[in-house]
Amino acid sequence: MNLPTFPKTLYDPSFEHDGCGVGFIARPSSEPSHDIVDKAVTAVVNLTHRGALDADAKTGDGAGILVQVPRRFFRREAEKLGLRLEDPSLLAVAMVMLPQDAARAARCRQIIEEKAKGRGLQVLGWREVPVDRSVLGAKALNTCPTVQQMLVMPPAGLRGDDYERSLYLARKEAEAALHQEGFDDCYVPSFSHRSLAYKGLLVARQLRGFYLDLRDPTFESALALFHQRYSTNTFPTWPLSQPFRLLAHNGEINTLQGNVNWMRAREPELKSQVWGDDIDRLKPIVTMGGSDTQILDNAVEALVLSGRDLLHAMLMVIPQAWERMPDLDPAWRDFHEYHACLMEPWDGPAAVTFTDGLKVGAVLDRNGLRPLRYKIADDGLVIAGSEVGLVEMDDAHIVEKGRLGPGEMLVVDTRHGRILKTSDVMAEFVNRRPYGKWVKENIRRLSQVPVTAPDGNGRGEDLNGLDLGQLQTAFACTNEDVKIILKTMAAQAHDSVWSMGDDIPLAVLSQMRRPLMFYFKQRFAQVTNPPIDPLREELVMSLDCYVGPRHSAFEETAHHAKLIHMETPLLTATTMRALKENGDPSFRCKEISVLFPVDRGPEGLEQALAEVCAAAAAAIDDGYSILVLTDRGVSQEYAAVPMLLAVGAVHHHLIREGKRMKADIVAETAMAWDVHHLALLIGYGANGVYPYLALATINAFLQDRDLQESTIEEVEANFRTAAERGILKIMSKMGISALSSYHGAQIFEIIGLDEDLVDRYFTGTPARLGGIGLPEIAEDVLHWHRQAFEVYPQSRKVKDIGYIRFRQEGEYHGFNPEVVKTLHRAVQTGDYQVYREYSHMVHGGPPRTLRDLLEFRSEQAPIPIEEVEPAGEITKRFVTAAMSMGALSPNAHRTLAMAMNRLGARSNTGEGGEDRSWYQPINGDWANSRIKQVASARFGVTTEYLSMADELEIKIAQGSKPGEGGQLPGHKVDDYIGSVRHTTPGVGLISPPPHHDIYSIE
């Protein structure tokens, strides 16, 4: 069951991420028990506060568990169906969510059954999974599928991993057939002889009530994953609930778009002895339109079934930070570097639990940005989850408790009866292959490649005979770019910093000819995904990158490590020459010019892009593995395709042609002098960037009075440091630590480019609004070309457009001097006419933002004022967000509360509570918030979705003792009515002040 399709709106389902509760429970003994299942359900119920509820208070974002196939349970259930299982250990179960319509469901069953039989599997029959739909909320019920299980046995001789592969192929073939026939409302949560998923669009407390199987004492497992989903900006569906087939996840995979692109690019290179001719039946590896966890699950499942151990696969996709760890075991370092040649990390804040039905474990991302704690009991029971206290355990029987650190792993191996920590896991895998030998013999370090002396001006920045200013003009580099951006980088070793805000028009609304890169806006982490500090987290940040052809990610050979290692993507004249002259036939470089004849006019741009893409594909066919896209050679007759457009076009063309992994892209460009430019080129597929115009410009600074004491080496080092720090800063805003993950991840949003253009050259990038296409971009390029070769020779001046500072003849600024002066006069004089003048200047200027394009529709008659609700009644429904005292200053917090009380509205204390002194009037005002979040009593209280009621409605937790630890006086204890919040036993209860509406128990 895939995500529904949506009309072109501002909503984009690709931004669905998870911020959830997750964990596992297991014993090293392989003996299954219902106790494990029961504890897993209890644990996920106790994580309910980490989920979300719809307004009906009964529809959640999803919850579920993943367990071993319960053999004793299915032996009995098979007998009920008139079947006899000779060997229940061989039974495989397909958990299937079928369409509600009976006829469609029957056809879906037929397809799934046919594909299973086509793989030689013996289909015993179908079992209706007993469910109680009465526990569901209206929205969950409306989309509730028919849940059935297909029971399968293997043919003679098919066992173990080969059996699992046959089940996987049958499912993949069935999914393809279902999609082809339009049955996207059919979904297979699991199909395995080892594991089984019970999940849905449920609140965790509904899990046991909905799936009646989970109550059966014969429903047994030795391990269980559990998950409560909380999705930000999400469209919850039954299939997107977790766990998936191998994984459950709390966090975000911020590099997802790049990971998906690279998985698609790898597909033509995939080969494996375990699949043989069936390898193409695995494709596509990932399910497009799925959540980040679902896509990660697809990738891990493919790696595992292609022959890798589950733990090995997890070390590949979520490796610990290894690049800059000074005390890391050399064998560990070699292991991680070898696998960096096979796959980029799936990066972002993540706590991931995983199981293959034999082993179960958890791993944290390299920063450790999601919590995961664990306890180990003396009977071997291991419980790990997003927080402690998920299952009540007697501390007298706890032999170890702790939390996972960055990149750490905890595993319970039920097959061998072991509990493994990170060191145990690494010890098991680092010596399975001679990784150190392979790395040492095959990876070439660019810093160690000998290079001949550069020619020309001594640094190799050949300007093709043009004046520096002329070349700057041709590429739309302005006086501000030179004096403020580049000079700051060269002199101070950091990128320019100025006040927040951007008061110039969006590029698509500007009257100026903006370069293409202005249309791209960086995306950044939201509240659920805190950005990291690239300085404080320096040890886990990495700019290491690799160049060269890649091979099948399903295999491991020495040849997989045959790559060139670069410490940074920023190339200089020396390192660029080293790359081109590396002397290894495995890394032949092909220069591809991105110039086009000016006399072709605007139509020449599209033709040039087609020629560049064709040249790139042809170079790969000729055995070249490094494609150097260069815009050198701009002249009176030739203009340059914007390098970002060239890189994006070649990158996606090669992916579509199935050739992307055979070669890497390097951009030799004049169109990169800002950190944003470098991030864009890397983000859209360039492995390295040689900004020759920027380097030539900073070399020219040595003639300036304030830099004449510096050397070429010093200013280049400063520029490189500034650029690298800037790239790390941009990565960190998305919680990304490794450049190899950021590479190709396209973490940008486009405002003002045509949808067809984006789909072709920047595939997958959000561009909700449409805009200009190639003809308009070509006109901009040719405009700057004319400025360079017609205007500049007469003026000898680089344009000062004023993107940063106001210039009289430059770009429009919303806060221009006249606007500011008029505002000052209005404030100082109190003259309403002056204010009207100020208002007219603000609203009457050229459009700068999208809201400036909006107008009130006036086709209909206005509503009579007497039919409009009074303002005083409307404001009573206003509510300020629950920002705690730690997020705001006490003065700001108090002022907001006073303001809301004046309006008759509601303020919220947030999790930190409020000062008791605010319960009394302050100079006639009242700072007492009407919505409270207070600590729970010692007896443990849970609350759920509190409504705007005059009474506190709470539910005493099971086993609690009302009155112990205090009771809220004057209020009833009743059933919950909403979403559970976490209880913190032992904190003590704050008595309520007299003025309140709601209490939220924290």
Side-chain angles (χ1 to χ4, degrees), residues 318-325 328 333 336 365-367 406-407 539-542 737:
I318 308 179
Q320 62 188 146
W322 59 272
E323 299 91 338
R324 306 184 67 177
M325 292 294 177
L328 192 67
R333 187 184 306 279
H336 286 303
D365 66 272
R366 63 196 281 148
N367 277 284
L539 281 180
V540 301
M541 303 293 290
S542 166
S737 303

mmCIF file with all atom_site columns, all heavy atoms in Angstrom, residues 318-325 328 333 336 365-367 406-407 539-542 737:
data_model
loop_
_atom_site.group_PDB
_atom_site.id
_atom_site.type_symbol
_atom_site.label_atom_id
_atom_site.label_alt_id
_atom_site.label_comp_id
_atom_site.label_asym_id
_atom_site.label_entity_id
_atom_site.label_seq_id
_atom_site.pdbx_PDB_ins_code
_atom_site.Cartn_x
_atom_site.Cartn_y
_atom_site.Cartn_z
_atom_site.occupancy
_atom_site.B_iso_or_equiv
_atom_site.pdbx_formal_charge
_atom_site.auth_seq_id
_atom_site.auth_comp_id
_atom_site.auth_asym_id
_atom_site.auth_atom_id
_atom_site.pdbx_PDB_model_num
ATOM 1   N N   . ILE A 1 318 ? 24.813 2.986  9.038  1.00 0.00 ? 318 ILE A N   1
ATOM 2   C CA  . ILE A 1 318 ? 24.937 3.944  10.152 1.00 0.00 ? 318 ILE A CA  1
ATOM 3   C C   . ILE A 1 318 ? 26.279 3.698  10.835 1.00 0.00 ? 318 ILE A C   1
ATOM 4   O O   . ILE A 1 318 ? 26.351 3.154  11.953 1.00 0.00 ? 318 ILE A O   1
ATOM 5   C CB  . ILE A 1 318 ? 23.772 3.812  11.158 1.00 0.00 ? 318 ILE A CB  1
ATOM 6   C CG1 . ILE A 1 318 ? 22.434 3.889  10.426 1.00 0.00 ? 318 ILE A CG1 1
ATOM 7   C CG2 . ILE A 1 318 ? 23.852 4.907  12.232 1.00 0.00 ? 318 ILE A CG2 1
ATOM 8   C CD1 . ILE A 1 318 ? 21.225 3.755  11.329 1.00 0.00 ? 318 ILE A CD1 1
ATOM 9   N N   . PRO A 1 319 ? 27.379 4.066  10.177 1.00 0.00 ? 319 PRO A N   1
ATOM 10  C CA  . PRO A 1 319 ? 28.698 3.849  10.784 1.00 0.00 ? 319 PRO A CA  1
ATOM 11  C C   . PRO A 1 319 ? 28.969 4.863  11.890 1.00 0.00 ? 319 PRO A C   1
ATOM 12  O O   . PRO A 1 319 ? 28.424 5.961  11.892 1.00 0.00 ? 319 PRO A O   1
ATOM 13  C CB  . PRO A 1 319 ? 29.658 4.059  9.613  1.00 0.00 ? 319 PRO A CB  1
ATOM 14  C CG  . PRO A 1 319 ? 28.943 5.047  8.728  1.00 0.00 ? 319 PRO A CG  1
ATOM 15  C CD  . PRO A 1 319 ? 27.474 4.706  8.852  1.00 0.00 ? 319 PRO A CD  1
ATOM 16  N N   . GLN A 1 320 ? 29.809 4.470  12.824 1.00 0.00 ? 320 GLN A N   1
ATOM 17  C CA  . GLN A 1 320 ? 30.234 5.424  13.833 1.00 0.00 ? 320 GLN A CA  1
ATOM 18  C C   . GLN A 1 320 ? 31.209 6.419  13.208 1.00 0.00 ? 320 GLN A C   1
ATOM 19  O O   . GLN A 1 320 ? 31.747 6.197  12.121 1.00 0.00 ? 320 GLN A O   1
ATOM 20  C CB  . GLN A 1 320 ? 30.891 4.693  15.007 1.00 0.00 ? 320 GLN A CB  1
ATOM 21  C CG  . GLN A 1 320 ? 32.134 3.929  14.630 1.00 0.00 ? 320 GLN A CG  1
ATOM 22  C CD  . GLN A 1 320 ? 32.665 3.069  15.756 1.00 0.00 ? 320 GLN A CD  1
ATOM 23  O OE1 . GLN A 1 320 ? 33.198 2.007  15.547 1.00 0.00 ? 320 GLN A OE1 1
ATOM 24  N NE2 . GLN A 1 320 ? 32.527 3.529  16.987 1.00 0.00 ? 320 GLN A NE2 1
ATOM 25  N N   . ALA A 1 321 ? 31.432 7.530  13.890 1.00 0.00 ? 321 ALA A N   1
ATOM 26  C CA  . ALA A 1 321 ? 32.410 8.501  13.402 1.00 0.00 ? 321 ALA A CA  1
ATOM 27  C C   . ALA A 1 321 ? 33.801 7.877  13.512 1.00 0.00 ? 321 ALA A C   1
ATOM 28  O O   . ALA A 1 321 ? 34.217 7.455  14.584 1.00 0.00 ? 321 ALA A O   1
ATOM 29  C CB  . ALA A 1 321 ? 32.319 9.778  14.223 1.00 0.00 ? 321 ALA A CB  1
ATOM 30  N N   . TRP A 1 322 ? 34.498 7.828  12.395 1.00 0.00 ? 322 TRP A N   1
ATOM 31  C CA  . TRP A 1 322 ? 35.812 7.181  12.391 1.00 0.00 ? 322 TRP A CA  1
ATOM 32  C C   . TRP A 1 322 ? 36.900 8.060  11.781 1.00 0.00 ? 322 TRP A C   1
ATOM 33  O O   . TRP A 1 322 ? 38.086 7.883  12.055 1.00 0.00 ? 322 TRP A O   1
ATOM 34  C CB  . TRP A 1 322 ? 35.740 5.881  11.581 1.00 0.00 ? 322 TRP A CB  1
ATOM 35  C CG  . TRP A 1 322 ? 35.304 6.072  10.157 1.00 0.00 ? 322 TRP A CG  1
ATOM 36  C CD1 . TRP A 1 322 ? 34.029 6.091  9.685  1.00 0.00 ? 322 TRP A CD1 1
ATOM 37  C CD2 . TRP A 1 322 ? 36.150 6.315  9.023  1.00 0.00 ? 322 TRP A CD2 1
ATOM 38  N NE1 . TRP A 1 322 ? 34.009 6.318  8.330  1.00 0.00 ? 322 TRP A NE1 1
ATOM 39  C CE2 . TRP A 1 322 ? 35.297 6.455  7.886  1.00 0.00 ? 322 TRP A CE2 1
ATOM 40  C CE3 . TRP A 1 322 ? 37.528 6.424  8.846  1.00 0.00 ? 322 TRP A CE3 1
ATOM 41  C CZ2 . TRP A 1 322 ? 35.796 6.706  6.607  1.00 0.00 ? 322 TRP A CZ2 1
ATOM 42  C CZ3 . TRP A 1 322 ? 38.025 6.668  7.574  1.00 0.00 ? 322 TRP A CZ3 1
ATOM 43  C CH2 . TRP A 1 322 ? 37.169 6.801  6.477  1.00 0.00 ? 322 TRP A CH2 1
ATOM 44  N N   . GLU A 1 323 ? 36.519 9.046  10.980 1.00 0.00 ? 323 GLU A N   1
ATOM 45  C CA  . GLU A 1 323 ? 37.498 9.779  10.185 1.00 0.00 ? 323 GLU A CA  1
ATOM 46  C C   . GLU A 1 323 ? 38.497 10.560 11.037 1.00 0.00 ? 323 GLU A C   1
ATOM 47  O O   . GLU A 1 323 ? 39.671 10.665 10.690 1.00 0.00 ? 323 GLU A O   1
ATOM 48  C CB  . GLU A 1 323 ? 36.786 10.742 9.228  1.00 0.00 ? 323 GLU A CB  1
ATOM 49  C CG  . GLU A 1 323 ? 35.875 10.066 8.224  1.00 0.00 ? 323 GLU A CG  1
ATOM 50  C CD  . GLU A 1 323 ? 34.450 9.934  8.742  1.00 0.00 ? 323 GLU A CD  1
ATOM 51  O OE1 . GLU A 1 323 ? 34.248 9.972  9.981  1.00 0.00 ? 323 GLU A OE1 1
ATOM 52  O OE2 . GLU A 1 323 ? 33.532 9.783  7.913  1.00 0.00 ? 323 GLU A OE2 1
ATOM 53  N N   . ARG A 1 324 ? 38.022 11.136 12.161 1.00 0.00 ? 324 ARG A N   1
ATOM 54  C CA  . ARG A 1 324 ? 38.896 12.037 12.919 1.00 0.00 ? 324 ARG A CA  1
ATOM 55  C C   . ARG A 1 324 ? 39.065 11.579 14.366 1.00 0.00 ? 324 ARG A C   1
ATOM 56  O O   . ARG A 1 324 ? 39.461 12.368 15.220 1.00 0.00 ? 324 ARG A O   1
ATOM 57  C CB  . ARG A 1 324 ? 38.313 13.458 12.879 1.00 0.00 ? 324 ARG A CB  1
ATOM 58  C CG  . ARG A 1 324 ? 38.061 13.957 11.464 1.00 0.00 ? 324 ARG A CG  1
ATOM 59  C CD  . ARG A 1 324 ? 37.586 15.377 11.434 1.00 0.00 ? 324 ARG A CD  1
ATOM 60  N NE  . ARG A 1 324 ? 38.618 16.305 11.878 1.00 0.00 ? 324 ARG A NE  1
ATOM 61  C CZ  . ARG A 1 324 ? 38.461 17.628 11.888 1.00 0.00 ? 324 ARG A CZ  1
ATOM 62  N NH1 . ARG A 1 324 ? 37.317 18.158 11.493 1.00 0.00 ? 324 ARG A NH1 1
ATOM 63  N NH2 . ARG A 1 324 ? 39.434 18.416 12.308 1.00 0.00 ? 324 ARG A NH2 1
ATOM 64  N N   . MET A 1 325 ? 38.740 10.324 14.638 1.00 0.00 ? 325 MET A N   1
ATOM 65  C CA  . MET A 1 325 ? 38.885 9.801  15.993 1.00 0.00 ? 325 MET A CA  1
ATOM 66  C C   . MET A 1 325 ? 40.332 9.369  16.232 1.00 0.00 ? 325 MET A C   1
ATOM 67  O O   . MET A 1 325 ? 40.794 8.383  15.658 1.00 0.00 ? 325 MET A O   1
ATOM 68  C CB  . MET A 1 325 ? 37.937 8.623  16.205 1.00 0.00 ? 325 MET A CB  1
ATOM 69  C CG  . MET A 1 325 ? 36.471 9.023  16.200 1.00 0.00 ? 325 MET A CG  1
ATOM 70  S SD  . MET A 1 325 ? 36.105 10.087 17.625 1.00 0.00 ? 325 MET A SD  1
ATOM 71  C CE  . MET A 1 325 ? 34.390 10.468 17.318 1.00 0.00 ? 325 MET A CE  1
ATOM 72  N N   . LEU A 1 328 ? 40.988 5.640  17.704 1.00 0.00 ? 328 LEU A N   1
ATOM 73  C CA  . LEU A 1 328 ? 40.220 4.527  17.155 1.00 0.00 ? 328 LEU A CA  1
ATOM 74  C C   . LEU A 1 328 ? 41.150 3.380  16.765 1.00 0.00 ? 328 LEU A C   1
ATOM 75  O O   . LEU A 1 328 ? 42.229 3.596  16.207 1.00 0.00 ? 328 LEU A O   1
ATOM 76  C CB  . LEU A 1 328 ? 39.431 4.995  15.927 1.00 0.00 ? 328 LEU A CB  1
ATOM 77  C CG  . LEU A 1 328 ? 38.362 4.040  15.396 1.00 0.00 ? 328 LEU A CG  1
ATOM 78  C CD1 . LEU A 1 328 ? 37.228 3.895  16.402 1.00 0.00 ? 328 LEU A CD1 1
ATOM 79  C CD2 . LEU A 1 328 ? 37.812 4.544  14.071 1.00 0.00 ? 328 LEU A CD2 1
ATOM 80  N N   . ARG A 1 333 ? 39.144 1.412  11.914 1.00 0.00 ? 333 ARG A N   1
ATOM 81  C CA  . ARG A 1 333 ? 39.248 2.488  10.926 1.00 0.00 ? 333 ARG A CA  1
ATOM 82  C C   . ARG A 1 333 ? 39.291 1.912  9.505  1.00 0.00 ? 333 ARG A C   1
ATOM 83  O O   . ARG A 1 333 ? 38.615 2.391  8.601  1.00 0.00 ? 333 ARG A O   1
ATOM 84  C CB  . ARG A 1 333 ? 40.495 3.335  11.199 1.00 0.00 ? 333 ARG A CB  1
ATOM 85  C CG  . ARG A 1 333 ? 40.598 4.587  10.330 1.00 0.00 ? 333 ARG A CG  1
ATOM 86  C CD  . ARG A 1 333 ? 41.908 5.320  10.592 1.00 0.00 ? 333 ARG A CD  1
ATOM 87  N NE  . ARG A 1 333 ? 42.087 5.616  12.003 1.00 0.00 ? 333 ARG A NE  1
ATOM 88  C CZ  . ARG A 1 333 ? 41.531 6.648  12.624 1.00 0.00 ? 333 ARG A CZ  1
ATOM 89  N NH1 . ARG A 1 333 ? 40.762 7.495  11.947 1.00 0.00 ? 333 ARG A NH1 1
ATOM 90  N NH2 . ARG A 1 333 ? 41.741 6.851  13.909 1.00 0.00 ? 333 ARG A NH2 1
ATOM 91  N N   . HIS A 1 336 ? 35.801 0.711  8.457  1.00 0.00 ? 336 HIS A N   1
ATOM 92  C CA  . HIS A 1 336 ? 34.880 1.789  8.091  1.00 0.00 ? 336 HIS A CA  1
ATOM 93  C C   . HIS A 1 336 ? 35.304 2.481  6.795  1.00 0.00 ? 336 HIS A C   1
ATOM 94  O O   . HIS A 1 336 ? 34.448 2.847  5.980  1.00 0.00 ? 336 HIS A O   1
ATOM 95  C CB  . HIS A 1 336 ? 34.790 2.802  9.228  1.00 0.00 ? 336 HIS A CB  1
ATOM 96  C CG  . HIS A 1 336 ? 33.988 2.314  10.408 1.00 0.00 ? 336 HIS A CG  1
ATOM 97  N ND1 . HIS A 1 336 ? 32.689 1.895  10.294 1.00 0.00 ? 336 HIS A ND1 1
ATOM 98  C CD2 . HIS A 1 336 ? 34.311 2.205  11.729 1.00 0.00 ? 336 HIS A CD2 1
ATOM 99  C CE1 . HIS A 1 336 ? 32.243 1.526  11.480 1.00 0.00 ? 336 HIS A CE1 1
ATOM 100 N NE2 . HIS A 1 336 ? 33.195 1.702  12.371 1.00 0.00 ? 336 HIS A NE2 1
ATOM 101 N N   . ASP A 1 365 ? 23.030 7.068  15.894 1.00 0.00 ? 365 ASP A N   1
ATOM 102 C CA  . ASP A 1 365 ? 23.799 7.785  14.891 1.00 0.00 ? 365 ASP A CA  1
ATOM 103 C C   . ASP A 1 365 ? 25.129 8.254  15.470 1.00 0.00 ? 365 ASP A C   1
ATOM 104 O O   . ASP A 1 365 ? 25.352 8.210  16.676 1.00 0.00 ? 365 ASP A O   1
ATOM 105 C CB  . ASP A 1 365 ? 22.999 8.992  14.372 1.00 0.00 ? 365 ASP A CB  1
ATOM 106 C CG  . ASP A 1 365 ? 22.788 10.025 15.462 1.00 0.00 ? 365 ASP A CG  1
ATOM 107 O OD1 . ASP A 1 365 ? 21.793 9.925  16.208 1.00 0.00 ? 365 ASP A OD1 1
ATOM 108 O OD2 . ASP A 1 365 ? 23.624 10.936 15.593 1.00 0.00 ? 365 ASP A OD2 1
ATOM 109 N N   . ARG A 1 366 ? 26.006 8.727  14.620 1.00 0.00 ? 366 ARG A N   1
ATOM 110 C CA  . ARG A 1 366 ? 27.371 9.068  15.012 1.00 0.00 ? 366 ARG A CA  1
ATOM 111 C C   . ARG A 1 366 ? 27.437 10.232 15.985 1.00 0.00 ? 366 ARG A C   1
ATOM 112 O O   . ARG A 1 366 ? 28.457 10.434 16.654 1.00 0.00 ? 366 ARG A O   1
ATOM 113 C CB  . ARG A 1 366 ? 28.223 9.345  13.779 1.00 0.00 ? 366 ARG A CB  1
ATOM 114 C CG  . ARG A 1 366 ? 27.770 10.529 12.965 1.00 0.00 ? 366 ARG A CG  1
ATOM 115 C CD  . ARG A 1 366 ? 28.384 10.507 11.580 1.00 0.00 ? 366 ARG A CD  1
ATOM 116 N NE  . ARG A 1 366 ? 29.763 10.978 11.575 1.00 0.00 ? 366 ARG A NE  1
ATOM 117 C CZ  . ARG A 1 366 ? 30.697 10.528 10.748 1.00 0.00 ? 366 ARG A CZ  1
ATOM 118 N NH1 . ARG A 1 366 ? 30.426 9.562  9.900  1.00 0.00 ? 366 ARG A NH1 1
ATOM 119 N NH2 . ARG A 1 366 ? 31.910 11.024 10.763 1.00 0.00 ? 366 ARG A NH2 1
ATOM 120 N N   . ASN A 1 367 ? 26.365 11.023 16.088 1.00 0.00 ? 367 ASN A N   1
ATOM 121 C CA  . ASN A 1 367 ? 26.302 12.110 17.062 1.00 0.00 ? 367 ASN A CA  1
ATOM 122 C C   . ASN A 1 367 ? 25.580 11.723 18.339 1.00 0.00 ? 367 ASN A C   1
ATOM 123 O O   . ASN A 1 367 ? 25.663 12.428 19.331 1.00 0.00 ? 367 ASN A O   1
ATOM 124 C CB  . ASN A 1 367 ? 25.588 13.322 16.453 1.00 0.00 ? 367 ASN A CB  1
ATOM 125 C CG  . ASN A 1 367 ? 26.510 14.162 15.614 1.00 0.00 ? 367 ASN A CG  1
ATOM 126 O OD1 . ASN A 1 367 ? 27.338 14.906 16.121 1.00 0.00 ? 367 ASN A OD1 1
ATOM 127 N ND2 . ASN A 1 367 ? 26.384 14.031 14.308 1.00 0.00 ? 367 ASN A ND2 1
ATOM 128 N N   . PRO A 1 406 ? 27.139 7.832  21.103 1.00 0.00 ? 406 PRO A N   1
ATOM 129 C CA  . PRO A 1 406 ? 27.203 8.048  19.655 1.00 0.00 ? 406 PRO A CA  1
ATOM 130 C C   . PRO A 1 406 ? 27.829 6.873  18.917 1.00 0.00 ? 406 PRO A C   1
ATOM 131 O O   . PRO A 1 406 ? 28.927 6.425  19.249 1.00 0.00 ? 406 PRO A O   1
ATOM 132 C CB  . PRO A 1 406 ? 28.067 9.308  19.531 1.00 0.00 ? 406 PRO A CB  1
ATOM 133 C CG  . PRO A 1 406 ? 27.888 10.022 20.832 1.00 0.00 ? 406 PRO A CG  1
ATOM 134 C CD  . PRO A 1 406 ? 27.748 8.947  21.865 1.00 0.00 ? 406 PRO A CD  1
ATOM 135 N N   . GLY A 1 407 ? 27.116 6.362  17.914 1.00 0.00 ? 407 GLY A N   1
ATOM 136 C CA  . GLY A 1 407 ? 27.629 5.276  17.095 1.00 0.00 ? 407 GLY A CA  1
ATOM 137 C C   . GLY A 1 407 ? 27.694 3.925  17.766 1.00 0.00 ? 407 GLY A C   1
ATOM 138 O O   . GLY A 1 407 ? 28.182 2.961  17.171 1.00 0.00 ? 407 GLY A O   1
ATOM 139 N N   . LEU A 1 539 ? 34.929 16.377 16.177 1.00 0.00 ? 539 LEU A N   1
ATOM 140 C CA  . LEU A 1 539 ? 35.443 15.025 16.033 1.00 0.00 ? 539 LEU A CA  1
ATOM 141 C C   . LEU A 1 539 ? 34.550 14.146 15.166 1.00 0.00 ? 539 LEU A C   1
ATOM 142 O O   . LEU A 1 539 ? 35.029 13.183 14.565 1.00 0.00 ? 539 LEU A O   1
ATOM 143 C CB  . LEU A 1 539 ? 35.622 14.375 17.406 1.00 0.00 ? 539 LEU A CB  1
ATOM 144 C CG  . LEU A 1 539 ? 36.882 14.768 18.191 1.00 0.00 ? 539 LEU A CG  1
ATOM 145 C CD1 . LEU A 1 539 ? 36.921 14.039 19.514 1.00 0.00 ? 539 LEU A CD1 1
ATOM 146 C CD2 . LEU A 1 539 ? 38.141 14.472 17.390 1.00 0.00 ? 539 LEU A CD2 1
ATOM 147 N N   . VAL A 1 540 ? 33.261 14.444 15.112 1.00 0.00 ? 540 VAL A N   1
ATOM 148 C CA  . VAL A 1 540 ? 32.370 13.591 14.322 1.00 0.00 ? 540 VAL A CA  1
ATOM 149 C C   . VAL A 1 540 ? 32.064 14.184 12.953 1.00 0.00 ? 540 VAL A C   1
ATOM 150 O O   . VAL A 1 540 ? 31.380 13.571 12.147 1.00 0.00 ? 540 VAL A O   1
ATOM 151 C CB  . VAL A 1 540 ? 31.044 13.316 15.064 1.00 0.00 ? 540 VAL A CB  1
ATOM 152 C CG1 . VAL A 1 540 ? 31.313 12.632 16.382 1.00 0.00 ? 540 VAL A CG1 1
ATOM 153 C CG2 . VAL A 1 540 ? 30.242 14.590 15.269 1.00 0.00 ? 540 VAL A CG2 1
ATOM 154 N N   . MET A 1 541 ? 32.584 15.391 12.679 1.00 0.00 ? 541 MET A N   1
ATOM 155 C CA  . MET A 1 541 ? 32.372 16.013 11.372 1.00 0.00 ? 541 MET A CA  1
ATOM 156 C C   . MET A 1 541 ? 33.476 15.578 10.407 1.00 0.00 ? 541 MET A C   1
ATOM 157 O O   . MET A 1 541 ? 34.630 15.405 10.807 1.00 0.00 ? 541 MET A O   1
ATOM 158 C CB  . MET A 1 541 ? 32.367 17.538 11.494 1.00 0.00 ? 541 MET A CB  1
ATOM 159 C CG  . MET A 1 541 ? 31.342 18.097 12.471 1.00 0.00 ? 541 MET A CG  1
ATOM 160 S SD  . MET A 1 541 ? 29.643 17.849 11.970 1.00 0.00 ? 541 MET A SD  1
ATOM 161 C CE  . MET A 1 541 ? 29.516 18.965 10.582 1.00 0.00 ? 541 MET A CE  1
ATOM 162 N N   . SER A 1 542 ? 33.130 15.425 9.145  1.00 0.00 ? 542 SER A N   1
ATOM 163 C CA  . SER A 1 542 ? 34.108 14.949 8.180  1.00 0.00 ? 542 SER A CA  1
ATOM 164 C C   . SER A 1 542 ? 33.842 15.538 6.805  1.00 0.00 ? 542 SER A C   1
ATOM 165 O O   . SER A 1 542 ? 32.696 15.584 6.347  1.00 0.00 ? 542 SER A O   1
ATOM 166 C CB  . SER A 1 542 ? 34.052 13.417 8.091  1.00 0.00 ? 542 SER A CB  1
ATOM 167 O OG  . SER A 1 542 ? 34.755 12.958 6.956  1.00 0.00 ? 542 SER A OG  1
ATOM 168 N N   . SER A 1 737 ? 26.715 15.043 9.463  1.00 0.00 ? 737 SER A N   1
ATOM 169 C CA  . SER A 1 737 ? 28.100 15.117 9.912  1.00 0.00 ? 737 SER A CA  1
ATOM 170 C C   . SER A 1 737 ? 29.117 14.788 8.837  1.00 0.00 ? 737 SER A C   1
ATOM 171 O O   . SER A 1 737 ? 30.244 15.251 8.901  1.00 0.00 ? 737 SER A O   1
ATOM 172 C CB  . SER A 1 737 ? 28.316 14.157 11.096 1.00 0.00 ? 737 SER A CB  1
ATOM 173 O OG  . SER A 1 737 ? 27.419 14.446 12.144 1.00 0.00 ? 737 SER A OG  1
#
